[in-house]
Amino acid sequence: MNAAVAACLGSTFLYWSGIIIAVGIAAGFLLTYSLYTAHSGRGSGLWVMLFFTLLIGVPASRLVHFYFNREQYAGLVSALTDYSGGSFWLPAALLAMIPAAFLVCALHFPGTAGEMLDAAAPGTALAVAMIRFSALFGTSCRSMIVVSTPFFQTYPFADAVLDARGNAVYHFASFFIMALLMLVVMLGMLIFYFRHHADRMAVPCSCFWFCTAQWSWCLTPRGRIPPISTSVFCSS
């Protein structure tokens, strides 16, 4: 069995990358929930915020990816209705938390949008780190930079990718560096949250550091933020 496959259920394959992403999202939400309930109030609004984030973020991230990669889809309707292929643009999905938080407040749930977004900042960074680590079981999120020095042909610097002839070529492991950066961002956001959560400092700081870490990808020759493919979860 392929090392990337965690389980085979008949003709359906469950991938390790999908499991890691699911665990990362759950861990991020659990961290957000624990911070919010410990410092702000009841967490019922966070469940609604999660629902709205998915409701807004999934089609929004899909639309952005469709706009820049139209050759991967039969059309706009197909991109929004058929999720068996294609990818998502992660930053668009995360930005959906902002309108989701305000929608929760409009429905008169306890707490404010600022309190929810502040509590969500560290958890979001943790989830993104796990999502990037999931690329360990794939070939996405590698830079076009080739690492030729043997000493650096290992994590966190490089990862082997097979070329057309089946030879291992070591590319800069952008996903690994981005994951480590997001873990540092998470720790920084936790410090900001515990010191300044009453001053609403976590949201602007998290936006700055998240954008810095994510858009650092653009400094490599690949030149764009890596999407999250739907094939990392399961296939049949």
Side-chain angles (χ1 to χ4, degrees):
M1 183 182 293
N2 191 316
V5 177
C8 179
L9 306 174
S11 60
T12 301
F13 295 93
L14 181 64
Y15 294 98
W16 281 114
S17 53
I19 294 175
I20 294 174
I21 290 174
V23 171
I25 294 174
F29 182 78
L30 181 62
L31 176 58
T32 299
Y33 192 89
S34 62
L35 291 175
Y36 185 74
T37 54
H39 295 89
S40 299
R42 293 183 299 173
S44 57
L46 288 179
W47 290 101
V48 182
M49 177 181 166
L50 176 63
F51 170 76
F52 281 130
T53 299
L54 294 174
L55 185 66
I56 299 171
V58 171
S61 60
R62 188 73 160 184
L63 278 173
V64 175
H65 188 265
F66 166 77
Y67 181 80
F68 290 103
N69 302 272
R70 299 191 181 191
E71 71 281 356
Q72 297 185 21
Y73 304 93
L76 177 60
V77 175
S78 174
L80 294 176
T81 56
D82 183 6
Y83 290 90
S84 61
S87 300
F88 303 91
W89 198 64
L90 183 58
L94 298 176
L95 289 173
M97 288 193 303
I98 298 175
F102 283 99
L103 282 172
V104 171
C105 292
L107 294 175
H108 303 292
F109 279 86
T112 66
E115 289 172 340
M116 286 185 285
L117 291 172
D118 274 355
T124 300
L126 174 59
V128 173
M130 294 292 289
I131 289 172
R132 292 308 177 206
F133 272 129
S134 71
L136 279 166
F137 296 95
T139 57
S140 63
C141 302
R142 272 71 170 173
S143 169
M144 298 303 294
I145 298 174
V146 176
V147 179
S148 56
T149 305
F151 179 79
F152 294 106
Q153 290 179 342
T154 185
Y155 294 123
F157 305 106
D159 185 42
V161 178
L162 298 180
D163 61 14
R165 299 180 179 179
N167 300 317
V169 179
Y170 288 87
H171 288 260
F172 178 63
S174 300
F175 75 93
F176 207 96
I177 298 299
M178 291 174 70
L180 294 178
L181 280 172
M182 293 313 299
L183 288 178
V184 172
V185 169
M186 180 198 70
L187 293 176
M189 288 303 96
L190 283 174
I191 294 173
F192 271 108
Y193 184 81
F194 286 119
R195 290 183 179 180
H196 305 288
H197 69 87
D199 301 323
R200 303 291 175 264
M201 290 295 294
V203 172
C205 290
S206 63
C207 288
F208 172 78
W209 287 109
F210 172 75
C211 291
T212 300
Q214 289 289 293
W215 265 262
S216 63
W217 177 269
C218 296
L219 298 179
T220 69
R222 182 153 182 164
R224 65 177 180 180
I225 303 296
I228 301 298
S229 175
T230 57
S231 63
V232 301
F233 294 99
C234 63
S235 65
S236 58

